[in-house]
Amino acid sequence: MRAHRVAIILAMLAASATTSAQTSDKADQSQRSATVARDIGGFALGMPIADVNKIVPVEQLGNDNFQAVRDGITYDFGVTPLGRIYRVASSQNLGRFQVDERFLKSVAARLTAKYGPPTQRSTETFGWSLTEPVKHASGQTLPFTTMWASAYVSKGSDGVSLEIKLLDFRVLWADEAKLNRGPREQAVDAVKF
């Protein structure tokens, strides 16, 4: 089941990498949110990774991936080319015990209190998503899940853990658009007929 969730998440990330969505040159378009809170453990979407490094030492894993451990919780970050977090995930080991209805109700209540009511839910899995029209480079506008979050209780050989992930493509797209603006304008000015 956990491998299936990881495969879904990786497929979504791969799809986002090939999406030629454009954002306007206006400020970050993250006004709408799938969740009430946009952070895990105080590490927020849009937060500079340099600010995270002031709180806890951060290790670069390669490409746009960073990791930190704070208070026994492992945090993974996806970082834009301008150094802002567009994906944050946490893995918190809760120990060895039998997951029961009381525990799941408590987790559900606490997740809902922080992130709002989930848009998808099963017994041990919670999901939030925001789908919006996105204009692609081709000019076509299509619905796209621009922000999503997931949380699930995982049972494995190391015990029970709570896995939480937040992702907002708009943070990534805004920084990519900002980096593209100068070279694009230079190219426009360089065109000769």
Side-chain angles (χ1 to χ4, degrees):
M1 186 75 168
R2 186 173 184 181
H4 176 66
R5 286 188 201 114
V6 171
I8 290 171
I9 290 167
L10 291 175
M12 289 180 74
L13 289 173
S16 73
T18 59
T19 300
S20 58
Q22 294 180 335
T23 58
S24 71
D25 288 339
K26 296 179 184 172
D28 190 350
Q29 297 181 355
S30 300
Q31 299 86 1
R32 296 185 58 200
S33 183
T35 56
V36 175
R38 293 177 51 85
D39 75 281
I40 302 173
F43 301 119
L45 295 169
M47 181 179 192
I49 195 69
D51 289 354
V52 174
N53 202 41
K54 292 175 186 174
I55 299 167
V56 62
V58 176
E59 177 185 359
Q60 185 168 11
L61 301 177
N63 298 324
D64 68 349
N65 298 304
F66 292 78
Q67 189 175 75
V69 178
R70 180 172 148 197
D71 298 330
I73 301 172
T74 301
Y75 294 92
D76 291 302
F77 306 99
V79 178
T80 72
L82 292 179
R84 294 191 312 145
I85 297 170
Y86 73 92
R87 175 182 42 82
V88 58
S90 70
S91 180
Q92 179 179 5
N93 189 308
L94 302 172
R96 294 181 187 279
F97 63 96
Q98 183 65 39
V99 174
D100 59 15
E101 184 179 358
R102 181 177 177 201
F103 172 76
L104 292 172
K105 279 184 178 181
S106 173
V107 169
R110 293 180 71 186
L111 286 168
T112 300
K114 179 164 183 169
Y115 297 109
T119 52
Q120 304 93 30
R121 165 112 196 260
S122 71
T123 306
E124 299 172 355
T125 305
F126 307 83
W128 298 260
S129 61
L130 174 65
T131 301
E132 304 176 288
V134 173
K135 186 175 183 179
H136 294 255
S138 66
Q140 188 177 24
T141 300
L142 298 169
F144 189 86
T145 303
T146 55
M147 187 204 171
W148 60 268
S150 66
Y152 62 93
V153 176
S154 174
K155 297 170 274 191
S157 60
D158 293 339
V160 177
S161 63
L162 178 62
E163 314 287 334
I164 304 174
K165 182 175 284 193
L166 296 171
L167 185 143
D168 192 337
F169 291 112
R170 297 166 301 174
V171 174
L172 176 63
W173 294 340
D175 284 5
E176 288 175 339
K178 187 174 183 178
L179 285 173
N180 188 55
R181 190 175 311 130
R184 181 192 62 216
E185 294 308 315
Q186 286 178 351
V188 167
D189 293 342
V191 171
K192 297 187 179 12
F193 296 99

Coordinates of all heavy atoms in Angstrom, one line a residue, residues 64-124:
D64 N 16.7 19.3 -6.7 CA 16.0 20.3 -5.8 C 15.6 19.7 -4.5 O 14.7 20.2 -3.8 CB 14.8 20.8 -6.6 CG 13.7 19.8 -6.8 OD1 13.9 18.6 -6.6 OD2 12.6 20.2 -7.2
N65 N 16.2 18.6 -4.1 CA 15.8 17.9 -2.9 C 16.7 18.2 -1.7 O 17.9 18.1 -1.8 CB 15.8 16.4 -3.1 CG 14.8 16.0 -4.2 OD1 13.6 16.4 -4.1 ND2 15.2 15.4 -5.2
F66 N 16.1 18.5 -0.5 CA 16.8 18.8 0.7 C 16.2 18.0 1.8 O 15.0 17.6 1.7 CB 16.8 20.3 1.0 CG 17.5 21.2 0.0 CD1 17.0 21.5 -1.2 CD2 18.8 21.7 0.4 CE1 17.7 22.3 -2.1 CE2 19.5 22.5 -0.5 CZ 18.9 22.8 -1.8
Q67 N 16.9 17.8 2.9 CA 16.4 17.1 4.0 C 16.9 17.6 5.3 O 18.0 18.2 5.4 CB 16.8 15.6 3.9 CG 16.1 14.7 4.9 CD 16.4 13.2 4.7 OE1 17.5 12.8 5.0 NE2 15.5 12.5 4.1
A68 N 16.1 17.5 6.4 CA 16.5 18.0 7.7 C 15.8 17.1 8.7 O 14.7 16.5 8.4 CB 16.1 19.4 7.9
V69 N 16.4 17.0 9.9 CA 15.8 16.2 11.0 C 15.6 17.2 12.2 O 16.6 17.8 12.6 CB 16.6 15.0 11.4 CG1 15.9 14.3 12.6 CG2 16.7 14.0 10.2
R70 N 14.4 17.3 12.7 CA 14.2 18.1 13.9 C 13.3 17.4 14.9 O 12.2 17.0 14.5 CB 13.6 19.5 13.4 CG 13.3 20.4 14.5 CD 12.9 21.8 14.0 NE 12.0 22.4 14.8 CZ 11.2 23.4 14.5 NH1 11.2 23.9 13.2 NH2 10.4 24.0 15.3
D71 N 13.7 17.3 16.1 CA 12.9 16.7 17.1 C 12.5 15.3 16.8 O 11.3 14.9 17.0 CB 11.7 17.5 17.5 CG 12.1 18.9 18.0 OD1 13.1 19.0 18.7 OD2 11.3 19.9 17.8
G72 N 13.4 14.6 16.1 CA 13.1 13.2 15.7 C 12.2 13.0 14.5 O 11.9 11.9 14.1
I73 N 11.8 14.1 13.8 CA 10.9 14.1 12.7 C 11.8 14.4 11.4 O 12.6 15.4 11.5 CB 9.8 15.1 12.8 CG1 8.9 14.8 14.0 CG2 8.9 15.1 11.5 CD1 7.9 15.9 14.3
T74 N 11.7 13.6 10.4 CA 12.4 13.8 9.2 C 11.6 14.7 8.2 O 10.4 14.4 8.0 CB 12.8 12.5 8.5 OG1 13.6 11.7 9.4 CG2 13.6 12.7 7.2
Y75 N 12.2 15.7 7.7 CA 11.5 16.6 6.8 C 12.3 16.6 5.4 O 13.5 16.6 5.4 CB 11.5 18.1 7.3 CG 10.7 18.3 8.5 CD1 11.3 18.2 9.8 CD2 9.4 18.6 8.5 CE1 10.6 18.3 10.9 CE2 8.6 18.7 9.6 CZ 9.3 18.6 10.9 OH 8.5 18.8 12.0
D76 N 11.5 16.4 4.4 CA 12.0 16.5 3.0 C 11.5 17.7 2.3 O 10.3 18.0 2.5 CB 11.7 15.2 2.2 CG 12.5 14.0 2.8 OD1 13.7 14.1 2.8 OD2 11.8 13.0 3.2
F77 N 12.3 18.4 1.6 CA 11.9 19.6 0.9 C 12.2 19.6 -0.6 O 13.3 19.1 -1.0 CB 12.6 20.9 1.5 CG 12.5 21.0 3.0 CD1 13.5 20.6 3.8 CD2 11.3 21.5 3.5 CE1 13.4 20.7 5.2 CE2 11.2 21.6 4.9 CZ 12.3 21.2 5.7
G78 N 11.2 20.0 -1.4 CA 11.5 20.3 -2.8 C 11.6 21.8 -2.9 O 10.8 22.6 -2.4
V79 N 12.7 22.3 -3.6 CA 13.0 23.7 -3.6 C 13.1 24.3 -5.0 O 13.7 23.6 -5.9 CB 14.4 23.9 -2.8 CG1 14.8 25.4 -2.8 CG2 14.3 23.4 -1.4
T80 N 12.6 25.4 -5.2 CA 12.5 26.1 -6.5 C 14.0 26.5 -6.9 O 14.8 26.6 -6.0 CB 11.6 27.3 -6.5 OG1 12.2 28.4 -5.8 CG2 10.2 27.0 -6.0
P81 N 14.2 26.9 -8.1 CA 15.5 27.4 -8.5 C 15.9 28.7 -7.8 O 17.0 29.1 -7.7 CB 15.3 27.7 -10.0 CG 14.2 26.8 -10.5 CD 13.3 26.7 -9.3
L82 N 14.9 29.4 -7.2 CA 15.1 30.6 -6.4 C 15.2 30.3 -4.9 O 15.3 31.3 -4.1 CB 14.1 31.7 -6.7 CG 14.1 32.3 -8.1 CD1 13.0 33.3 -8.3 CD2 15.5 32.9 -8.4
G83 N 15.2 29.1 -4.5 CA 15.5 28.7 -3.2 C 14.3 28.7 -2.2 O 14.4 28.7 -1.0
R84 N 13.0 28.6 -2.8 CA 11.8 28.6 -2.0 C 11.2 27.2 -2.0 O 11.3 26.5 -3.0 CB 10.8 29.6 -2.5 CG 11.2 31.0 -2.3 CD 10.1 32.0 -2.6 NE 9.3 31.7 -3.8 CZ 8.0 31.9 -3.9 NH1 7.3 32.4 -2.9 NH2 7.4 31.7 -5.0
I85 N 10.6 26.8 -0.9 CA 10.0 25.5 -0.7 C 8.7 25.4 -1.5 O 7.8 26.2 -1.3 CB 9.8 25.1 0.8 CG1 11.1 25.1 1.5 CG2 9.0 23.8 0.9 CD1 10.9 25.0 3.0
Y86 N 8.6 24.4 -2.4 CA 7.3 24.2 -3.0 C 6.7 22.8 -2.6 O 5.6 22.5 -2.9 CB 7.4 24.3 -4.6 CG 8.1 23.1 -5.2 CD1 7.4 22.0 -5.7 CD2 9.5 23.2 -5.4 CE1 8.1 21.0 -6.3 CE2 10.2 22.1 -6.0 CZ 9.4 21.0 -6.5 OH 10.1 20.0 -7.1
R87 N 7.6 22.0 -2.0 CA 7.1 20.7 -1.5 C 7.8 20.5 -0.1 O 9.0 20.6 0.0 CB 7.5 19.6 -2.4 CG 7.2 18.2 -1.9 CD 7.6 17.1 -2.9 NE 8.9 17.3 -3.5 CZ 10.1 17.0 -2.9 NH1 10.1 16.5 -1.7 NH2 11.2 17.1 -3.5
V88 N 6.9 20.1 0.9 CA 7.5 19.7 2.2 C 6.8 18.5 2.6 O 5.6 18.3 2.5 CB 7.3 20.9 3.2 CG1 5.9 21.3 3.4 CG2 7.9 20.5 4.6
A89 N 7.6 17.5 3.1 CA 7.0 16.3 3.6 C 7.6 15.9 5.0 O 8.8 16.3 5.2 CB 7.3 15.1 2.6
S90 N 6.9 15.3 5.8 CA 7.4 14.9 7.1 C 7.1 13.4 7.3 O 6.1 12.9 6.9 CB 6.9 15.7 8.2 OG 5.5 15.4 8.5
S91 N 8.0 12.8 8.1 CA 7.8 11.4 8.5 C 8.1 11.3 10.0 O 9.2 11.6 10.4 CB 8.7 10.4 7.7 OG 8.5 9.1 8.2
Q92 N 7.1 11.0 10.8 CA 7.2 11.0 12.2 C 6.9 9.6 12.8 O 5.8 9.1 12.6 CB 6.2 12.0 12.8 CG 6.3 12.1 14.3 CD 5.3 13.1 14.9 OE1 4.5 13.7 14.2 NE2 5.3 13.3 16.2
N93 N 8.0 9.0 13.3 CA 7.8 7.6 13.9 C 7.1 7.8 15.3 O 7.5 8.6 16.1 CB 9.1 6.9 14.1 CG 8.9 5.5 14.5 OD1 8.3 5.2 15.4 ND2 9.6 4.6 13.8
L94 N 6.0 7.1 15.5 CA 5.2 7.2 16.7 C 5.4 6.0 17.7 O 4.8 6.0 18.7 CB 3.7 7.3 16.3 CG 3.4 8.5 15.4 CD1 2.0 8.4 14.9 CD2 3.7 9.8 16.1
G95 N 6.2 5.1 17.3 CA 6.4 3.9 18.2 C 5.7 2.7 17.7 O 5.0 2.7 16.7
R96 N 5.7 1.7 18.6 CA 5.1 0.4 18.3 C 3.8 0.3 19.1 O 3.9 0.3 20.4 CB 6.0 -0.8 18.6 CG 7.2 -0.8 17.7 CD 8.1 -2.0 18.1 NE 9.3 -2.0 17.3 CZ 9.5 -2.4 16.1 NH1 8.4 -2.9 15.4 NH2 10.6 -2.4 15.5
F97 N 2.7 0.2 18.5 CA 1.4 0.0 19.2 C 0.4 -0.4 18.1 O 0.6 -0.4 16.9 CB 1.0 1.3 19.9 CG 0.7 2.5 18.9 CD1 -0.6 2.7 18.4 CD2 1.8 3.3 18.5 CE1 -0.8 3.8 17.6 CE2 1.5 4.3 17.6 CZ 0.3 4.6 17.2
Q98 N -0.7 -0.9 18.6 CA -1.8 -1.3 17.7 C -2.7 -0.1 17.4 O -3.2 0.6 18.2 CB -2.7 -2.4 18.4 CG -3.8 -2.9 17.6 CD -3.3 -3.7 16.4 OE1 -2.3 -4.4 16.5 NE2 -4.0 -3.6 15.3
V99 N -2.8 0.2 16.1 CA -3.6 1.3 15.6 C -5.0 0.9 15.8 O -5.5 -0.1 15.3 CB -3.3 1.7 14.1 CG1 -4.2 2.7 13.6 CG2 -1.8 2.1 14.0
D100 N -5.8 1.8 16.5 CA -7.2 1.5 16.8 C -8.0 2.7 16.4 O -7.5 3.7 16.0 CB -7.4 1.0 18.2 CG -7.0 2.1 19.2 OD1 -6.8 3.2 18.9 OD2 -6.9 1.7 20.4
E101 N -9.4 2.6 16.6 CA -10.3 3.6 16.2 C -10.0 4.9 17.0 O -10.1 6.0 16.5 CB -11.7 3.1 16.5 CG -12.8 4.1 16.0 CD -14.2 3.6 16.2 OE1 -14.4 2.5 16.7 OE2 -15.1 4.4 16.0
R102 N -9.7 4.8 18.3 CA -9.5 6.0 19.1 C -8.3 6.8 18.6 O -8.3 8.0 18.5 CB -9.2 5.5 20.6 CG -9.0 6.7 21.5 CD -8.8 6.3 22.9 NE -8.5 7.5 23.7 CZ -7.9 7.4 24.9 NH1 -7.6 6.2 25.4 NH2 -7.7 8.5 25.6
F103 N -7.2 6.1 18.2 CA -6.0 6.7 17.7 C -6.4 7.4 16.4 O -6.0 8.6 16.2 CB -4.9 5.7 17.5 CG -3.7 6.3 16.8 CD1 -2.8 7.2 17.4 CD2 -3.5 6.1 15.4 CE1 -1.8 7.7 16.7 CE2 -2.4 6.6 14.7 CZ -1.6 7.5 15.4
L104 N -7.1 6.7 15.5 CA -7.4 7.3 14.2 C -8.3 8.5 14.3 O -8.2 9.4 13.5 CB -8.0 6.2 13.3 CG -7.0 5.1 12.8 CD1 -7.7 4.0 12.1 CD2 -5.9 5.7 12.0
K105 N -9.3 8.4 15.2 CA -10.2 9.6 15.4 C -9.4 10.8 15.9 O -9.6 11.9 15.5 CB -11.3 9.2 16.4 CG -12.4 8.4 15.8 CD -13.5 8.2 16.9 CE -14.7 7.5 16.2 NZ -15.8 7.3 17.2
S106 N -8.4 10.5 16.8 CA -7.6 11.6 17.3 C -6.8 12.3 16.2 O -6.7 13.5 16.1 CB -6.7 11.1 18.4 OG -5.8 12.1 18.8
V107 N -6.1 11.4 15.4 CA -5.3 11.9 14.2 C -6.2 12.7 13.3 O -5.9 13.8 12.8 CB -4.6 10.8 13.5 CG1 -4.0 11.2 12.2 CG2 -3.5 10.2 14.4
A108 N -7.4 12.2 13.0 CA -8.3 12.8 12.0 C -8.7 14.2 12.6 O -8.8 15.2 11.8 CB -9.6 12.0 11.8
A109 N -9.1 14.3 13.9 CA -9.5 15.5 14.5 C -8.4 16.6 14.4 O -8.6 17.7 14.1 CB -9.9 15.3 15.9
R110 N -7.1 16.1 14.7 CA -6.0 17.1 14.7 C -5.6 17.5 13.3 O -5.3 18.7 13.1 CB -4.8 16.4 15.5 CG -5.2 16.3 17.0 CD -4.0 15.6 17.7 NE -3.0 16.6 17.9 CZ -1.8 16.3 18.4 NH1 -1.5 15.1 18.8 NH2 -0.8 17.2 18.5
L111 N -5.7 16.6 12.4 CA -5.4 17.0 11.0 C -6.4 18.0 10.5 O -6.1 19.0 9.8 CB -5.3 15.8 10.1 CG -4.1 14.9 10.2 CD1 -4.3 13.6 9.5 CD2 -2.8 15.6 9.7
T112 N -7.7 17.7 10.8 CA -8.8 18.6 10.3 C -8.7 20.0 11.0 O -8.9 21.0 10.4 CB -10.2 18.0 10.6 OG1 -10.2 16.7 9.9 CG2 -11.3 18.8 10.2
A113 N -8.3 20.0 12.3 CA -8.2 21.3 13.0 C -7.1 22.1 12.3 O -7.2 23.4 12.3 CB -7.8 21.0 14.5
K114 N -6.0 21.5 11.9 CA -4.9 22.3 11.3 C -5.1 22.6 9.8 O -4.9 23.7 9.4 CB -3.6 21.6 11.5 CG -2.4 22.4 10.9 CD -1.1 22.0 11.3 CE 0.0 22.9 10.7 NZ 1.3 22.7 11.3
Y115 N -5.5 21.6 9.1 CA -5.5 21.7 7.6 C -6.9 21.9 7.0 O -7.0 22.1 5.8 CB -4.8 20.5 7.0 CG -3.4 20.4 7.3 CD1 -2.9 19.4 8.2 CD2 -2.4 21.3 6.9 CE1 -1.6 19.3 8.6 CE2 -1.1 21.2 7.2 CZ -0.7 20.2 8.1 OH 0.6 20.2 8.4
G116 N -7.9 21.7 7.8 CA -9.3 21.8 7.3 C -9.8 20.5 7.0 O -9.1 19.5 6.9
P117 N -11.1 20.4 6.6 CA -11.7 19.1 6.3 C -11.0 18.5 5.0 O -10.9 19.2 4.0 CB -13.2 19.4 6.1 CG -13.4 20.7 6.7 CD -12.1 21.4 6.6
P118 N -10.6 17.2 5.1 CA -10.1 16.6 3.8 C -11.1 16.5 2.7 O -12.3 16.3 3.0 CB -9.6 15.3 4.3 CG -10.2 15.0 5.6 CD -10.7 16.3 6.2
T119 N -10.6 16.6 1.5 CA -11.5 16.4 0.4 C -11.6 14.9 0.0 O -12.6 14.5 -0.7 CB -11.0 17.2 -0.9 OG1 -9.6 16.9 -1.1 CG2 -11.1 18.7 -0.6
Q120 N -10.6 14.1 0.4 CA -10.7 12.7 0.2 C -10.3 12.0 1.6 O -9.4 12.5 2.2 CB -9.7 12.1 -0.8 CG -9.9 12.7 -2.2 CD -9.0 13.9 -2.4 OE1 -7.9 14.0 -1.9 NE2 -9.4 14.9 -3.2
R121 N -10.9 10.9 1.9 CA -10.6 10.3 3.2 C -10.9 8.8 3.2 O -11.9 8.4 2.6 CB -11.4 11.0 4.3 CG -11.5 10.2 5.6 CD -10.7 10.9 6.7 NE -10.4 10.0 7.8 CZ -11.1 9.9 8.9 NH1 -12.1 10.7 9.1 NH2 -10.7 9.1 9.9
S122 N -10.0 8.0 3.7 CA -10.3 6.6 4.0 C -9.9 6.5 5.5 O -9.6 7.5 6.2 CB -9.5 5.7 3.1 OG -8.1 5.7 3.5
T123 N -9.9 5.3 6.0 CA -9.7 5.1 7.4 C -8.3 5.7 7.9 O -8.3 6.4 8.9 CB -9.7 3.6 7.8 OG1 -10.9 3.1 7.3 CG2 -9.6 3.4 9.2
E124 N -7.3 5.4 7.1 CA -5.9 5.8 7.5 C -5.3 6.9 6.6 O -4.1 7.2 6.8 CB -5.0 4.6 7.7 CG -5.5 3.6 8.7 CD -4.8 2.3 8.7 OE1 -3.9 2.1 7.8 OE2 -5.1 1.5 9.6

